[in-house]
Amino acid sequence: MAKSKYNAQKVSYISVPSQVINTLSSSSLQTLLLSPKKPSRNRFLSCSSYKNPRVWFFALFLFGFLRMLKLCFDLDPLVPFYPYPCVTSQTQEKSRSQLVFPSDGVEHGQKDQEAAPFNDLGSKSEVGSASNNEKSSESAAKDEYLKSIVKSKPLTSNRYGKSNGDGKGSEFWKQPDGLGYKPCLDFSSGYRRGSEAIVKNRRKYLLVVVSGGMNQQRNQIVDAVVIARILGAALVVPILQVNVIWGDESEFSDIFDLEHFKRVLANDVRIVSSLPSTHIMKRAVEEKRTPLHVSPQWIRARYLKPLNREGVLLLRGLDSRLSKDLPSDLQKLRCKVAFHALRFAPSIMQLGNRLAERMRSKGPYLALHLRMEKDVWVRTGCLPGLSPKYDEMINNERKRRPELLTGRSNMTYHDRKLAGLCPLNALEVTRLLKALGAPKDARIYWAGGQPLGGKEALLPLTIEFPHFYNKEDLALPGELEPFANRASLMAAIDYVVSEQSDVFMPSHGGNMGHAIQV
């Protein structure tokens, strides 16, 4: 009985076409009939097994897996993986490049429309319009979009993008899409309710003295307004300390539009030009050593009681004293001051706009903020690398005035260089621009003071990029005379031209670079 059952099993799993049987010898056939090896495999291949749903599920899974592999290697448009890493992350890299090479800002909202001829097919607005116009052929639109991306080669070192003089066709000039982010200055109802009492206050006044260069002073003015709001005090127009390096004696109204400043902040903080007569004879509470990055709670606990008692508070050295992590309403106020209230004086805006128009007259342009002045090399603890003569000059100046070194005095020059704390010299900036794919005919506006070493220090840049200009090159005779020997006003002109550029790049992290990048 067991033998007949065993034979029945043998018959059930052998399924061989007759053509194959005819080709087998009798010994081979006998071996097949008597071999008991692995009956499970043959059971799987039997005719009855094709009706098993597990077999069909496995077959479908295997087919789908092989199909997916084929799509990946064939660059099918439906699969978002390509052999070009730069292409796959193009959209993300564009938004990231805006932080490094921003082309927007508060007044750059209109620039995206102006720069439309330089946008590639990958911009969101164009892809969106294409999909709306061709709903019936969505797959064809995706295929065309993929081809347009693959055709645009990623930027490579030592290779210029194609350019016909106006910047069109060059990958270097393509603009970021913003990823849908928009300015938002909608304050909460609680903030608006508290504004009325703060604006009407006539008992408390805040005096501030700001120092440093123009962009450093600008940041401190922004924080001064926020601190006045936190304390519920009126802000006296900030006093600009005379710059110890450039000897600039410019006042607030020389650089900024004072009336515009007051008008924009009228519902947030009360701004007065000077202390009222009722408070002139009062003893101001002076604070010189505010810690770094203090919170609104710390400011109220420290200053509110003496301010209520005396009525006047004097603060100095506000650089980076206020925390960058503020409640939403105070952070919005900070942005409102920086990008709406602090507008440059009309004379600066007019000249800056004229210079920007002259730069743009022949196509897009790059703004390059060069930090190669003598004081920058001294303060950063770095060497210009021009020649032993200039290196020795900087070392001697640093020994003579060690207080100018901004920090980390225990680090050697080489340590600073490796840590990325040193400004780029002209040769290093040239290499970076070429690696980014800047076309040789790119128009470059360079902002900043005269570099140590003069024009010779800029030779690597001017040789590789001959269309190299600054405000002295672009201004007509007599246009810069009202701003002569006023470093802050000159810096403000550079800011206006740089803010309107298509691409911005600083050679060293600084206040101007950070402000334009936002």
Side-chain angles (χ1 to χ4, degrees):
M1 185 71 179
K3 184 174 182 179
S4 62
K5 182 179 180 180
Y6 176 79
N7 291 334
Q9 291 179 351
K10 293 293 183 255
V11 174
S12 67
Y13 72 74
I14 294 179
S15 178
V16 183
S18 60
Q19 296 88 345
V20 176
I21 295 176
N22 293 334
T23 61
L24 295 175
S25 63
S26 59
S27 60
S28 301
L29 184 60
Q30 186 68 19
T31 303
L32 283 174
L33 291 173
L34 297 177
S35 177
K37 293 181 179 180
K38 299 181 180 179
S40 60
R41 286 188 180 179
N42 295 329
R43 186 182 300 114
F44 177 77
L45 295 174
S46 64
C47 293
S48 61
S49 63
Y50 293 141
K51 299 179 181 181
N52 192 334
R54 294 184 179 180
V55 175
W56 287 104
F57 177 81
F58 178 80
L60 290 175
F61 172 80
L62 184 61
F63 175 79
F65 179 76
L66 295 176
R67 179 62 177 168
M68 184 178 67
L69 290 178
K70 181 179 183 302
L71 292 177
C72 291
F73 286 105
D74 289 347
L75 280 180
D76 191 283
L78 297 178
V79 181
F81 300 103
Y82 318 110
Y84 302 102
C86 295
V87 175
T88 60
S89 60
Q90 189 172 13
T91 303
Q92 295 179 357
E93 290 300 326
K94 281 184 177 182
S95 63
R96 195 175 305 161
S97 69
Q98 187 172 0
L99 297 178
V100 181
F101 309 111
S103 60
D104 65 342
V106 175
E107 299 178 358
H108 273 204
Q110 300 174 353
K111 184 178 295 184
D112 293 336
Q113 299 177 356
E114 297 174 2
F118 312 114
N119 288 344
D120 64 344
L121 295 177
S123 63
K124 289 187 177 180
S125 59
E126 296 184 13
V127 173
S129 62
S131 62
N132 292 332
N133 295 334
E134 302 178 8
K135 290 182 179 179
S136 60
S137 58
E138 182 178 356
S139 60
K142 289 182 180 179
D143 197 13
E144 183 179 354
Y145 170 60
L146 175 68
K147 292 179 181 178
S148 68
I149 294 180
V150 174
K151 286 181 181 178
S152 61
K153 297 180 180 179
L155 304 180
T156 56
S157 301
N158 301 323
R159 183 174 298 177
Y160 292 113
K162 296 181 180 180
S163 176
N164 55 8
D166 60 358
K168 296 181 180 179
S170 174
E171 181 82 11
F172 184 75
W173 300 112
K174 292 179 180 178
Q175 300 295 305
D177 55 22
L179 297 179
Y181 288 101
K182 297 180 181 179
C184 175
L185 291 179
D186 296 331
F187 295 96
S188 67
S189 57
Y191 179 92
R192 293 194 298 270
R193 285 195 301 269
S195 297
E196 184 177 357
I198 292 175
V199 171
K200 290 182 178 180
N201 187 283
R202 297 293 188 275
R203 295 180 55 255
K204 299 182 292 184
Y205 292 86
L206 175 64
L207 289 169
V208 295
V209 178
V210 298
S211 59
M214 188 278 296
N215 291 287
Q216 192 174 359
Q217 291 174 342
R218 182 175 178 271
N219 290 345
Q220 295 175 51
I221 293 170
V222 171
D223 285 353
V225 174
V226 178
I227 293 174
R229 172 77 191 198
I230 293 171
L231 296 174
L235 176 66
V236 180
V237 173
I239 302 169
L240 275 55
Q241 183 175 314
V242 177
N243 192 288
V244 295
I245 297 176
W246 300 290
D248 191 345
E249 299 181 359
S250 300
E251 297 181 357
F252 186 97
S253 57
D254 295 328
I255 305 174
F256 303 103
D257 188 336
L258 178 56
E259 295 305 316
H260 177 80
F261 183 70
K262 292 180 178 180
R263 184 168 56 253
V264 172
L265 298 176
N267 296 326
D268 303 280
V269 175
R270 181 168 170 252
I271 309 292
V272 297
S273 299
S274 60
L275 276 175
S277 57
T278 54
H279 287 67
I280 290 179
M281 300 304 295
K282 289 189 176 183
R283 184 184 64 180
V285 179
E286 185 174 359
E287 180 63 55
K288 299 180 181 179
R289 298 182 180 179
T290 304
L292 294 171
H293 309 302
V294 296
S295 65
Q297 293 77 12
W298 189 95
I299 290 175
R300 293 190 187 96
R302 175 81 177 195
Y303 299 139
L304 197 53
K305 186 175 180 180
L307 178 59
N308 289 332
R309 183 180 67 248
E310 302 295 339
V312 181
L313 173 65
L314 174 61
L315 296 180
R316 297 178 182 270
L318 289 181
D319 192 21
S320 298
R321 302 300 165 177
L322 182 61
S323 172
K324 301 298 184 289
D325 184 16
L326 297 177
S328 177
D329 286 326
L330 294 180
Q331 189 61 40
K332 290 178 181 179
L333 176 60
R334 174 181 266 159
C335 294
K336 184 177 181 179
V337 179
F339 302 117
H340 293 269
L342 277 179
R343 186 172 69 185
F344 292 115
S347 58
I348 295 175
M349 291 296 298
Q350 291 170 6
L351 180 56
N353 289 333
R354 285 200 297 268
L355 298 184
E357 290 173 3
R358 291 167 192 171
M359 284 297 302
R360 191 175 293 283
S361 62
K362 295 184 179 180
Y365 69 93
L366 177 146
L368 178 62
H369 188 208
L370 289 178
R371 304 306 313 276
M372 297 170 56
E373 302 95 326
K374 179 180 177 180
D375 70 290
V376 174
W377 296 116
V378 174
R379 288 188 293 102
T380 57
C382 301
L383 298 176
L386 300 174
S387 67
K389 168 189 171 184
Y390 289 108
D391 290 349
E392 184 179 1
M393 180 190 303
I394 295 300
N395 280 326
N396 292 337
E397 184 70 17
R398 193 176 298 130
K399 291 177 182 177
R400 190 173 67 87
R401 303 184 65 183
E403 71 277 3
L404 293 180
L405 189 62
T406 53
R408 301 181 182 175
S409 56
N410 60 330
M411 296 179 67
T412 65
Y413 159 65
H414 295 288
D415 292 337
R416 291 173 180 271
K417 189 76 172 177
L418 292 175
L421 300 175
C422 291
L424 300 179
N425 58 31
L427 179 60
E428 293 165 337
V429 172
T430 303
R431 290 173 176 170
L432 179 57
L433 286 175
K434 292 175 67 176
L436 291 171
K440 192 175 181 65
D441 60 354
R443 296 169 60 80
I444 299 178
Y445 177 88
W446 69 276
Q450 288 298 323
L452 179 66
K455 293 184 178 180
E456 293 183 3
L458 299 175
L459 279 179
L461 269 167
T462 55
I463 291 174
E464 292 291 340
F465 301 97
H467 302 290
F468 198 74
Y469 312 96
N470 68 349
K471 48 189 172 292
E472 284 80 7
D473 300 322
L474 297 173
L476 300 177
E479 281 187 321
L480 288 176
E481 287 184 5
F483 311 98
N485 301 321
R486 308 285 288 275
S488 295
L489 304 187
M490 291 291 195
I493 295 173
D494 282 339
Y495 189 100
V496 174
V497 182
S498 299
E499 194 269 338
Q500 298 186 43
S501 65
D502 297 272
V503 178
F504 173 78
M505 187 180 83
S507 66
H508 182 58
N511 293 295
M512 177 173 172
H514 294 157
I516 292 182
Q517 289 171 20
V518 174

